[in-house]
Amino acid sequence: MNVGIVGGGAVGLTAARDLAVRGADVTLFEAGTIPNEGESTARAAGVLYDAFAAPEDARVGARAIERFREFSGTGGFEFVETPYVWFARTGDEKRAAAIREQVPRMREHGRDVAFIHASELEERYPALNAEDIGVAAIARNTGRTDPGSYARMMAAEAEKNGAEVRTETEVRVRLDGTAADGKPQIFPDDDHGEPFDAIVVAAGAHTKRVLAEGGIPVALKPYRVQALTCAFDADTPMLYDATEGYYLRPHPEGLLAGDGTEEVESDPTDWKHASDAAFETAMHERLAHRLDFGADDPTIERAWAGLCTATPDYDPLIGELRPNCYVAAGWQGHGFMRSPALGEAIAEDVLGEGGIPEFDPKRFTGDEEFEIVEGMAVD
């Protein structure tokens, strides 16, 4: 089987590797480098957890963590075990109720999660200010990593198993049957199309544009998010403040923290890659409140923006969209953390072994109107 993949992010690369291992003849096209420093994988937070309440999400999350562990130690990629804590502040009854409802459902699906009291958090992590935490939960089948190292490792593994990875190659797709035997084509240039038995478009925020150029509407909207790093030398878990809507995690530079979601559609070819001053100010205040930086204030080392993709129901689009044309996109900010399982699922679907029915992209026509909602929100 001859498979063309558009997009060299974490999901596309995992699919390329898994298809090649299974004997497919794979060619992956990436418009930039691997990792592409301007795109989603390179700008991802690297927070990895399986703490999902919906059964399909819990299943995918568990498989992703399992595979992250399997690949850890390969080609410079490391999975670093780190607990994940999410909480609602005192007085935020809406999100407190949501967390109280989530945890039993997660446990029903076999997730290693539990409620944890604010006093226990402060005892475990003396630099953490938990005085305003009302309801908190902790997940233990969790970790963190450098997303770029996963992309580099997976590209090398794909090539080792026979896949061809073409970087700096922007392409178009066509499904109009002009190729021999009516096969879909990928055009690395305007004049020469390459026919494939199947194509997978996993181009992140560019997926909607790539498919539209091939005459295929898809229910996706790219939106902008932001993150930064700062110096910090005390122990902390990964944290998500559901009331304020920000997260933080340990990082080689100290801490990585993020929020800054813009609930408007972004143009993936023309968007602001730098962070906003308002985001930096807000995160400075949040970090100073949540953690003890000693005599110093938080000092921002780097700050940036990235793009995520939204769908009408907040679930991904992954599967066959047109005959022999597959899509894998719409992660709502949860793409990298589930990429080992999502890439595996789309590879299995291409091979005729079934994918993830709940995420079937044909549930939408592509013409839907919908609002962008931040993917990590607890409601």
Side-chain angles (χ1 to χ4, degrees):
M1 186 177 199
N2 187 14
V3 183
I5 299 176
V6 181
V11 174
L13 288 166
T14 303
R17 180 266 180 197
D18 287 359
L19 284 163
V21 166
R22 299 287 297 277
D25 183 3
V26 180
T27 305
L28 181 142
F29 301 88
E30 165 55 43
T33 58
I34 294 176
N36 188 330
E37 297 301 329
E39 301 300 338
S40 299
T41 292
R43 291 171 177 248
V47 174
L48 312 175
Y49 59 76
D50 65 350
F52 295 97
E56 64 276 10
D57 291 325
R59 185 173 68 250
V60 170
R63 179 57 178 155
I65 295 295
E66 180 181 27
R67 297 197 83 195
F68 274 129
R69 286 198 170 95
E70 289 174 358
F71 288 122
S72 187
T74 303
F77 167 71
E78 296 292 339
F79 175 89
V80 183
E81 305 277 351
T82 314
Y84 174 77
V85 173
W86 70 108
F87 61 87
R89 295 191 183 193
T90 302
D92 183 359
E93 287 306 315
K94 177 182 178 181
R95 291 171 185 83
I99 293 172
R100 292 190 188 100
E101 188 269 340
Q102 286 176 337
V103 170
R105 290 177 60 199
M106 292 175 181
R107 291 179 64 85
E108 286 175 6
H109 303 312
R111 302 305 92 222
D112 185 5
V113 301
F115 293 107
I116 186 168
H117 196 272
S119 60
E120 185 176 353
L121 283 172
E122 288 190 322
E123 182 178 348
R124 292 190 189 184
Y125 304 102
L128 174 63
N129 170 23
E131 63 182 8
D132 61 349
I133 292 179
V135 176
I138 185 168
R140 299 181 183 86
N141 188 34
T142 56
R144 66 185 196 272
T145 195
D146 167 27
S149 71
Y150 180 86
R152 287 187 291 271
M153 177 274 294
M154 196 56 68
E157 289 296 299
E159 290 181 315
K160 185 173 74 174
N161 285 282
E164 180 183 359
V165 176
R166 300 189 200 175
T167 57
E168 308 287 356
T169 307
E170 191 163 348
V171 301
R172 294 181 299 109
V173 301
R174 287 180 61 177
L175 307 179
D176 57 10
T178 58
D181 301 322
K183 292 181 178 180
Q185 297 179 88
I186 294 177
F187 283 74
D189 58 56
D190 290 336
D191 300 321
H192 301 93
E194 300 181 22
F196 292 92
D197 297 317
I199 63 173
V200 177
V201 180
H206 298 276
T207 298
K208 181 178 180 178
R209 174 184 58 80
V210 170
L211 288 169
E213 290 173 352
I216 307 170
V218 65
L220 289 171
K221 289 185 179 180
Y223 65 94
R224 187 167 169 267
V225 295
Q226 299 176 74
L228 58 78
T229 60
C230 69
F232 189 71
D233 62 1
D235 189 23
T236 181
M238 301 184 292
L239 290 174
Y240 177 63
D241 183 334
T243 301
E244 287 280 321
Y246 72 90
Y247 64 87
L248 63 85
R249 75 160 180 93
H251 185 270
E253 294 178 13
L255 288 175
L256 185 153
D259 177 24
T261 298
E262 292 181 349
E263 294 181 348
V264 295
E265 187 170 4
S266 294
D267 181 347
T269 63
D270 183 20
W271 57 282
K272 183 181 177 184
H273 289 61
S275 61
D276 301 333
F279 161 73
E280 295 181 21
T281 298
M283 288 306 306
H284 182 278
E285 293 174 356
R286 290 163 169 171
L287 292 172
H289 166 74
R290 187 57 57 199
L291 298 168
D292 182 2
F293 284 81
D296 301 319
D297 283 338
T299 300
I300 296 174
E301 302 289 341
R302 296 182 298 121
W304 64 92
L307 292 181
C308 294
T309 49
T311 69
D313 61 1
Y314 324 132
D315 281 335
L317 308 179
I318 181 166
E320 191 173 28
L321 189 60
R322 297 288 189 275
N324 304 314
C325 177
Y326 297 76
V327 64
W331 313 129
Q332 295 278 166
H334 295 117
F336 177 75
M337 73 168 63
R338 298 189 290 177
S339 57
L342 295 169
E344 180 181 55
I346 195 66
E348 290 175 346
D349 204 3
V350 169
L351 295 172
E353 299 175 4
I356 305 174
E358 296 90 343
F359 300 158
D360 184 349
K362 293 190 292 292
R363 68 186 187 275
F364 300 118
T365 65
D367 298 322
E368 289 80 4
E369 292 293 330
F370 62 97
E371 300 291 327
I372 293 172
V373 176
E374 195 275 315
M376 292 185 71
V378 172
D379 293 309

